[in-house]
């Protein structure tokens, strides 16, 4: 297999019985499989370097492999040292050019050739390499996506990395010989880095569409040899730096399609004597663009291409404009369009025989007549129109009073300038009232329907040809057209409202992006968008997916994360989109299980559904998705085991299942995933996976021959319940980032802690002692993340040694939790066979135990703040010990034992200094003696118990109480005036007891009270008028005081409640109240509150002795339920009440009658009003019912009744 240490052969192993490994007198530097004696060999051949490159960047799958295919069967660069490869000439490889004299690699040119992965550092060790073109591939140079060790290529002069995966500038400053850098279409999304200024030989800087932002930093003048700078299509802002004037060799500048503002640096431009091309058009700007006047450019003798269009420049064209240009017969291309220039096109430009001048959409008054005969101008159109008898100047600008869609005339039919009275300036492209084509109508309607006048962006919308609209991309390169829309890029434009579905009628539309706007859209008609490929609407207000299943077969991408989508399950329409390749629905509110029908998405490559409310397990059918590359289900409510069938998806590269929010998340063993050769990004953190890591975990990744598979692997399984050792075969990974903190790992094998510069971002190789700490801290030590992250920040020893950190990867020092011991004792004392005891008494952190909530996360083993064991079949015999244990938990804020047979004793409740809420309803309590020691208690529930005797006086000593529930007990005695001391009380429920006496007037001091419910007691006397001062009151109930008003009961008059603004429920039913309903009854209700359809106000006034009539002011209440049956209130009911359709829970509207409120005099019903199946019945001939809401008719004196 391998020659042992101290022995070697040319191939590192014995291949024939007669040719053994040869002993080295100088040793092999401790290496097995040596191919030479002595220290590490330095003279690696260029062929071996190219072989490593070929293996690392997916060589087998390149588009063009001519010459390279000789290496199709190798597994290692060393294979090329075999005799069978003798004579292979790497200079004949496709894309390789060598020096004639030395056969050293001089140039590598492999653009758009299917290269993937990380370029090995050895490539930059090619000593003669001066040109490297890897553009149009999927490459990166290091794990940080910077330029890696490019500085090792000492002769590298030209580098093209356009359209690759480069995201940082780090390392580029070391390429000191570099003369040309092409870095277009990259992903920097940051400012231009000053490390570029460390390239003293740089001639060409070309960075189009690379995500550059912010202002160009100072120091540009350090690039003293710069000839050409192209920063087209980024997001740069600020002013164009005056430092360009310190770069006198510049001949080409392109700062177009950024967001520059301010004036052009006129003084600096004067110094650029070699300038030939200058571009700064900004049709996609979000600000005003370049302002100020046009420089003369009279110093530039070679300038022939100038474009300052689509800005906000003003003033006339200088009369000495371009006066220094020497070659007046060359073609001049000048674009001044879409600014605010004034005056005329000057006659001085007649010195040029050929010029294409775009000056449309300015404020020019006309064109100098001396230009009308220059037949070479405007691609010869001036001469052609003049020859046809027209005005040659129309080919430069349509005169005032005319227009064309392009702002000037062209020869031939339909090319003339059209009459337009409203055309105030020369060069107009629109005319008010002119007919518009259908695509323009659709876009202009979109603008109107989404508050276009208030957009943050949107240059030229409604004013120019649609292909000039900011964010619109057309099929044609001619921006002056009005058709052929293929893309709408309107992200973060400030759209508000509903996107009109007419956009689906744009015949060539392929892509839309409405992200980061406050908009919704219907999918009705999406089938009409027959060419639509991409629908992106992230961070918006999309609310309904109905109709999305009708999308055309062309649709490949749907990204709708972060919207207002609330579905109990993922709509089945989604699963019908068989051609979909990328689906992103994260950060919404999708619930339910993922349907097995997901297997219908045969073409899906990316499925991102994280941070929703998805439940259930991962369907096994997901393993049928052969093209799936990325699966992200993190942050949901899923559970069950992770199906090992996911490992059969050979294309899978990313699998994120971390942070499930339901109890425990994914559980069961760690799957081996041993058949997915490309899977290199795994996150299973914050779940409940158990058992050890399988020895064959990611075996096919570790055994892959593709460098990008076995290198750059990231595995996060932190905060689970994983046990055992890390498999030693993890050493097979070329580079690895592994996070196993917060588990129960018992060993980190030394094999993976060797001098490996690629493990843990190189930290393993950098440490000289305790190298394994870079992976996991040793037992007895810790860091907050469970590992060493910096060379000088070591793992911290625990004072208690391994007793406080018994496993590898501890994130804190902690002894066996005292809280765990307390809960274990509680378990033994109260749990029964019928109790839900999930995870109790296991090794799981106590914060995962059923009913336990902690102040950290589920991985903690202390910090219990809530215990919720309601209705859990708990029974206590030793109630004193149980009570003591519960109240000893130092951080406890909430304790809920409702519905269990555990009548806690309050003797030790003072120890629970943080207890805020205590729920002991229906637990068999007989008293709450000692409760006042709970000084932090804010909410107490002791309903449905057997509490006897007088109202507990201790409760008056608890000023922090906000909610007190003591109903359904046997409490007697009176309510003390001390009740007024509970000024923080918001809710007081004491109904269904035996409390007697009068309601104390001090109850009016409960200034924060919202719910006062003390009915079904034995109160007597009047309702205190002080209750009228309770402005926050929402519910007041004193119903049936005494035995149906016979023994006890309230009398006197009904108070007016005139100061309460949001009172929605009054129940005084079954007492002895007299007098009429006050005329100002509820007169203080908030206007919006009483006028809302949703706020039902309920008045139970039945079975008293109220008289008078119903106040007409009740008609101001939109939704009223009033029960006045069994009183002595006279009719008729005001007619205005009879049209209140919402009253009586909608029965007034349903019956179209006031009988739903109360039966009129002379009628009766068992409930005193009309109900479903219960009409008001007329009294008999000798019977009377003189009042509203009678339950029956009685025999009486008809004359008196009349």
């Amino acid at each position: 297999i391998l020659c042992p240490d101290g022995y070697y052969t040319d191939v590192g192993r014995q291949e024939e019985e007669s040719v053994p490994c040869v002993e080295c007198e100088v040793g092999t530097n401790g290496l097995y499989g040596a191919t030479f004696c002595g220290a590490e060999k330095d003279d690696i051949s260029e062929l071996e370097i190219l072989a490593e490159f070929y293996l690392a960047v997916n060589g087998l799958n390149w588009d063009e492999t001519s010459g390279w295919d000789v290496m199709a069967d190798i597994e290692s660069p060393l294979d090329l040292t075999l005799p069978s490869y003798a004579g292979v000439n790497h200079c004949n490889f496709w894309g390789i050019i060598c020096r004639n004299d030395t056969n050293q690699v001089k140039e590598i040119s492999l653009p758009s050739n299917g290269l993937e992965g990380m370029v090995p550092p050895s490539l930059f060790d090619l000593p003669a390499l001066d040109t490297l073109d890897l553009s149009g591939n999927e490459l990166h140079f290091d794990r940080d996506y910077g330029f890696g060790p490019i500085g090792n290529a000492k002769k590298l002069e030209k580098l093209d990395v356009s359209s690759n995966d480069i995201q940082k500038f780090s390392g580029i400053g070391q390429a000191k010989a570099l003369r040309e850098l092409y870095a277009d279409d990259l992903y920097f999304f940051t400012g231009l880095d000053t490390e570029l200024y460390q390239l003293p030989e740089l001639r060409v800087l070309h960075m189009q569409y690379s995500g550059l932002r912010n202002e160009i930093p100072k120091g540009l003048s350090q690039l003293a040899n710069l000839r050409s700078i192209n920063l087209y299509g980024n997001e740069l802002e600020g002013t164009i730096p005056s430092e360009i004037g310190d770069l006198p060799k510049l001949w080409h500048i392109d700062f177009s399609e950024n967001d520059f503002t301010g004036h052009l640096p006129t003084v600096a431009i004067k110094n650029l004597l070699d300038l030939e091309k200058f571009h700064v058009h900004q049709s996609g700007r979000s600000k005003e663009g370049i302002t100020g006047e046009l420089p003369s450019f009279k110093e530039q003798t070679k300038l022939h291409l100038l474009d300052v269009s689509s800005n906000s420049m003003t003033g006339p064209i200088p009369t000495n404009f371009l006066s220094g240009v020497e070659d007046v017969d060359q073609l001049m291309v000048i674009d001044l369009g879409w600014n605010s220039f004034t005056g005329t096109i000057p006659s001085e430009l007649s010195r040029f025989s050929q010029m294409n001048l775009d000056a449309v959409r300015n404020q020019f008054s006309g064109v100098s007549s001396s230009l009308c005969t220059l037949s070479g101008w405007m691609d010869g159109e001036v001469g052609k129109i003049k020859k046809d008898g027209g005005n040659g100047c129309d080919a430069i600008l349509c005169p005032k009073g005319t227009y064309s869609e392009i702002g000037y005339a062209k020869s031939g039919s339909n090319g003339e300038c059209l009459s337009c009275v409203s055309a105030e300036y020369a060069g107009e492209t629109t005319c008010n009232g002119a007919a518009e084509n259908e695509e323009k109508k659709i876009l202009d309607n979109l603008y109107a329907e989404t508050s276009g006048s208030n957009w943050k962006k949107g240059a030229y919308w409604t004013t120019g040809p649609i292909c000039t609209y900011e964010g619109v991309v057309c099929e044609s390169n001619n921006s002056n057209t009005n058709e052929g829309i293929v893309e709408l890029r309107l992200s973060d434009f400030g759209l508000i409202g509903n996107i009109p579905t007419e956009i689906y009628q744009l015949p060539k539309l392929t892509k839309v992006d409405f992200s980061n706007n406050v908009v919704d859209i219907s999918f009705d008609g999406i089938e009409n968008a027959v060419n639509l490929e991409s629908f992106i609407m992230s961070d918006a207000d999309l609310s309904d997916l109905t109709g999305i299943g009708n999308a055309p077969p062309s649709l490949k991408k749907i990204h709708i994360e972060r919207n207002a989508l609330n579905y109990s399950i993922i709509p089945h329409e989604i699963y019908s989109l068989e051609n979909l390749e990328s689906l992103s629905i994260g950060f919404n509110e999708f619930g339910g299980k993922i349907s097995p029908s997901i297997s219908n998405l045969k073409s899906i490559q990316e499925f991102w559904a994280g941070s929703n409310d998805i439940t259930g397990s991962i369907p096994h059918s997901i393993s049928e998705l052969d093209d799936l590359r990325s699966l992200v289900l993190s942050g949901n409510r899923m559970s069950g085991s992770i199906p090992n069938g996911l490992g059969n998806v050979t294309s899978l590269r990313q699998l994120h299942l971390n942070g499930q929010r339901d109890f425990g998340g994914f559980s069961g063993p760690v799957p081996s995933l041993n058949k997915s050769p490309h899977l290199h990004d795994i996150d299973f953190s914050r779940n409940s996976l158990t058992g050890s890591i399988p020895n064959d975990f990611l075996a096919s990744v570790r055994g892959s021959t593709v460098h990008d598979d076995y290198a750059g692997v990231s595995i996060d399984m932190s905060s689970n319940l994983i046990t055992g050792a890390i498999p030693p075969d993890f050493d097979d990974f070329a580079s690895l980032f592994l996070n196993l903190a917060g588990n129960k790992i018992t060993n980190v094998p030394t094999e993976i802690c060797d001098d490996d510069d690629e493990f843990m971002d190189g930290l393993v190789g950098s440490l000289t002692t305790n190298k394994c700490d870079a992976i996991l801290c040793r037992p007895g030590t810790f860091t907050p993340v469970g590992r060493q992250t910096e060379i000088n920040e070591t793992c911290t020893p625990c004072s208690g040694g391994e007793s406080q950190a018994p496993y590898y990867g501890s994130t804190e020092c902690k002894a066996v939790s005292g809280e765990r011991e307390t809960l274990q004792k509680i378990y033994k004392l109260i749990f029964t066979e019928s109790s839900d005891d999930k995870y109790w008494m296991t090794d799981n952190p106590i914060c995962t135990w059923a009913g336990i909530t902690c102040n950290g996360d589920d991985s903690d083993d202390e910090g219990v703040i809530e215990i919720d064991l309601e209705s859990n079949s708990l029974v206590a015999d030793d109630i004193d010990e149980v009570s003591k244990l519960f109240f000893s938990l130092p951080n406890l804020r909430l304790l809920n034992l409702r519905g269990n047979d555990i009548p806690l004793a309050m003797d030790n409740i003072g120890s629970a200094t943080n207890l805020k809420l205590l729920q002991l309803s229906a637990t068999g309590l007989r008293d709450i003696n000692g409760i006042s020691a709970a000084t932090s208690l804010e909410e107490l529930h002791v309903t449905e118990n057997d509490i006897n005797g007088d109202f507990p006086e201790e409760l008056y000593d608890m000023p922090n109480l906000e909610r007190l529930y003591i109903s359904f007990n046997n409490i007697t005695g009176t309510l003390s005036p001390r009740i007024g001391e509970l000024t923080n009380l918001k809710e007081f429920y004491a109904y269904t007891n035996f409390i007697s006496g009068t309601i104390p007037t001090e109850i009016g001091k409960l200034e924060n009270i919202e719910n006062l419910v003390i009915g079904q007691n034995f109160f007597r006397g009047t309702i205190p008028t002080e209750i009228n001062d309770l402005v926050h009151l929402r519910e007041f109930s004193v119903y049936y005081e005494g035995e149906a008003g016979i023994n006890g009961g309230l009398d006197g008059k009904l108070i007016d409640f005139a100061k309460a603004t949001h009172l929605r429920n009054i129940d005084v039913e079954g007492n002895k109240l007299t007098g009429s309903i006050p005329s100002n009854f509820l007169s203080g209700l908030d206007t919006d509150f009483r006028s809302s359809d949703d706020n039902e106000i309920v008045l139970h006034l039945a079975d008293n002795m109220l008289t008078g009539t119903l106040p007409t002011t009740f008609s101001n209440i939109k939704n009223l339920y009033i029960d006045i049956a069994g009183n002595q209130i006279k009719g008729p009911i005001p007619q205005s009440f009879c049209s209140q359709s919402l009253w009586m829970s909608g029965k007034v509207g349903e019956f179209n009658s006031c009988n739903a409120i109360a039966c009129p005099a002379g009628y009766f019903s068992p409930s005193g009003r009309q109900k479903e199946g219960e009409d008001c019945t007329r009294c008999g001939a000798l019977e009377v019912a003189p009042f509203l809401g009678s339950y029956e008719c009685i025999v009486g004196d008809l004359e008196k009744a009349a």
Side-chain angles (χ1 to χ4, degrees), residues 566-606:
N566 187 331
Y567 279 84
S568 59
I569 60 171
I570 297 174
H572 281 281
E573 287 190 76
I574 291 284
Y575 301 127
S576 68
L577 301 172
E578 296 183 358
N579 296 323
L580 205 60
E581 296 178 359
S582 179
L583 175 61
S584 178
I585 59 172
F587 296 93
N588 281 287
E589 295 183 38
F590 290 106
K593 299 179 179 180
I594 297 174
S595 170
S597 300
I598 194 171
S599 60
N600 294 338
L601 301 178
K602 299 295 185 184
S603 301
I604 200 73
Q605 298 178 17
E606 299 166 338

Side-chain angles (χ1 to χ4, degrees), residues 194 197 215-222 241 243:
T194 55
Y197 299 162
E215 297 185 7
I216 296 177
K218 291 182 178 180
L220 185 65
S221 59
Q222 297 176 49
E243 282 186 275

Side-chain angles (χ1 to χ4, degrees), residues 298-319:
K298 64 184 180 63
E299 292 79 14
Q300 281 71 42
T301 60
K302 303 174 184 177
L303 185 65
H304 61 88
L305 200 160
L306 173 67
D307 189 344
V308 295
S309 62
S310 300
N311 283 288
S312 299
M313 301 184 71
T314 56
I317 299 175
T319 55

Side-chain angles (χ1 to χ4, degrees), residues 48 149 206 341 388 510 556 592 605 722 760 845 889 949 1068 1127 1161:
E48 289 176 73
H206 203 284
F341 292 123
D388 292 338
T510 61
K556 293 180 173 62
Q605 298 178 17
I722 299 170
M760 307 305 286
L889 292 166
V1068 296
N1127 281 287

Side-chain angles (χ1 to χ4, degrees), residues 359-634:
V360 303
R361 292 308 297 262
N362 280 284
Q363 297 176 21
F364 289 121
S365 58
V367 179
S368 172
S369 59
S370 63
L371 308 179
C372 301
T373 59
L374 299 176
S375 59
W377 273 47
M378 307 303 287
D379 287 328
E381 288 293 319
V382 170
K384 292 176 184 178
I385 291 177
K386 184 177 184 297
K387 183 178 179 181
D388 292 338
N391 186 342
C393 278
D394 288 1
I396 301 173
L397 289 179
C398 286
K400 291 194 296 183
T402 67
Y403 86 106
S404 77
E405 287 189 352
I406 57 176
Y408 51 86
K410 299 197 75 171
S411 59
S413 59
N414 301 319
E416 69 275 8
C417 297
L418 304 175
S419 176
C420 178
V421 176
S422 63
E424 184 178 357
Y425 302 109
E428 293 286 9
T429 60
T430 60
C431 179
N432 293 336
E436 298 177 332
N437 69 17
E438 287 303 314
E439 293 189 51
K440 182 171 173 58
K441 288 180 181 179
I442 290 171
L443 289 201
D444 289 352
N445 185 44
L446 167 63
Y447 182 85
E449 292 294 323
T450 57
S451 191
S453 60
N454 295 315
W455 287 3
K456 295 186 292 183
K457 306 176 186 177
Y460 311 124
W461 275 71
T462 73
T463 61
I466 58 176
C467 295
T468 66
Y469 289 9
E470 184 179 1
V472 174
V473 178
C474 292
E475 185 178 43
S476 169
N477 291 326
N478 185 355
S479 64
N480 292 312
T481 59
N482 256 328
E483 61 184 2
I485 297 170
V486 292
E487 294 185 33
L488 295 177
R489 302 175 180 174
L490 305 183
S491 176
D492 198 27
F493 266 49
L495 280 68
I496 299 175
N498 291 309
I499 305 291
T501 56
E502 288 86 356
I503 65 163
Y504 300 138
Q505 297 173 20
L506 295 169
K508 297 182 179 180
L509 188 65
T510 61
K511 298 178 182 179
V512 297
D513 187 350
F514 297 125
S515 301
N516 299 292
N517 291 291
V518 188
V519 288
D520 198 354
I521 191 173
S522 167
F523 290 101
D524 185 21
I526 193 173
E527 63 274 11
N528 296 321
V530 294
N531 292 302
L532 188 63
E533 298 176 3
S534 173
F535 181 91
I536 301 176
M537 194 168 175
S538 306
D539 286 285
D541 274 358
L542 183 64
S543 61
D544 191 357
L545 297 180
T546 302
I548 199 169
N550 297 324
S554 58
L555 188 61
K556 293 180 173 62
K557 176 188 286 190
I558 297 176
H559 285 196
I560 49 175
E561 63 271 14
R562 299 184 188 276
N563 275 284
L565 295 167
N566 187 331
Y567 279 84
S568 59
I569 60 171
I570 297 174
H572 281 281
E573 287 190 76
I574 291 284
Y575 301 127
S576 68
L577 301 172
E578 296 183 358
N579 296 323
L580 205 60
E581 296 178 359
S582 179
L583 175 61
S584 178
I585 59 172
F587 296 93
N588 281 287
E589 295 183 38
F590 290 106
K593 299 179 179 180
I594 297 174
S595 170
S597 300
I598 194 171
S599 60
N600 294 338
L601 301 178
K602 299 295 185 184
S603 301
I604 200 73
Q605 298 178 17
E606 299 166 338
F607 180 44
W608 300 323
S611 298
N612 280 288
D613 293 315
I614 298 171
T615 59
S617 58
I618 299 173
H620 290 279
S621 60
I622 210 165
S623 62
E624 300 173 20
L625 301 175
D626 294 336
D627 295 330
L628 188 64
R629 296 163 60 99
S630 176
L631 177 63
V632 177
L633 298 173
S634 51

Side-chain angles (χ1 to χ4, degrees), residues 22-248:
V22 179
E23 184 175 5
C24 283
E25 291 184 4
V26 294
T28 58
N29 201 31
L31 299 177
Y32 283 70
T35 59
F36 52 88
C37 287
E40 186 173 354
K41 190 175 181 181
D42 292 325
D43 57 337
I44 299 174
S45 73
E46 294 201 346
L47 181 60
E48 289 176 73
I49 291 175
L50 294 180
E52 184 180 9
F53 174 67
Y54 175 82
L55 290 173
V57 295
N58 196 29
L60 286 174
N61 297 308
W62 289 0
D63 296 336
E64 177 57 63
T65 60
S66 177
W68 296 87
D69 47 17
V70 71
M71 299 187 288
D73 296 324
I74 67 171
E75 298 179 3
S76 162
L78 294 178
D79 290 347
L80 292 178
T81 63
L82 296 174
S84 58
Y85 288 98
V88 172
N89 185 357
H90 59 275
C91 296
N92 294 327
F93 290 3
W94 174 267
I96 300 295
I97 298 177
C98 295
R99 289 176 53 135
N100 293 329
D101 53 349
T102 63
N103 264 10
Q104 290 178 305
V105 175
K106 179 179 185 294
E107 178 178 340
I108 300 176
S109 181
L110 295 168
S112 303
N113 201 41
L115 283 67
E116 285 185 40
M118 189 165 77
V119 175
S122 61
L123 188 71
F124 301 116
D125 294 333
L126 293 169
L129 184 66
D130 63 23
T131 300
L132 179 60
D133 184 354
L134 299 176
S135 59
N137 291 290
E138 294 183 34
L139 299 172
H140 55 284
F141 291 151
D142 59 22
R143 283 181 60 88
D144 293 327
Y145 298 91
F147 283 87
I150 197 168
N152 293 340
K154 303 300 183 183
K155 294 187 177 181
L156 187 64
E157 296 184 354
K158 181 177 180 180
L159 174 66
D160 192 341
V161 292
S162 301
S163 301
N164 277 286
D165 201 2
I166 308 295
Q167 301 178 26
K168 296 181 179 179
F169 289 93
S170 55
I172 188 62
Q174 301 304 311
K176 300 299 184 182
L178 200 63
R179 293 178 171 228
E180 298 180 31
L181 174 60
Y182 299 87
D184 301 340
D185 193 22
L186 297 177
Y187 305 97
F188 289 106
F189 300 119
T190 185
L192 192 70
D193 199 298
T194 55
E195 186 167 350
L196 283 169
Y197 299 162
Q198 300 173 23
L199 302 175
E201 301 299 324
L202 197 66
R203 268 74 163 166
V204 176
L205 178 60
H206 203 284
M207 298 186 68
Q208 293 190 135
Y209 294 111
S210 287
L212 300 176
R213 295 174 175 170
N214 307 323
E215 297 185 7
I216 296 177
K218 291 182 178 180
L220 185 65
S221 59
Q222 297 176 49
L223 300 177
N225 288 301
L226 199 64
R227 268 76 161 170
S228 173
I229 181 169
N230 188 329
L231 303 178
Y232 183 103
N234 287 286
E235 299 175 40
L236 296 167
E237 51 190 34
T239 59
I240 293 176
S242 59
E243 282 186 275
I244 63 172
D246 299 326
L247 302 172

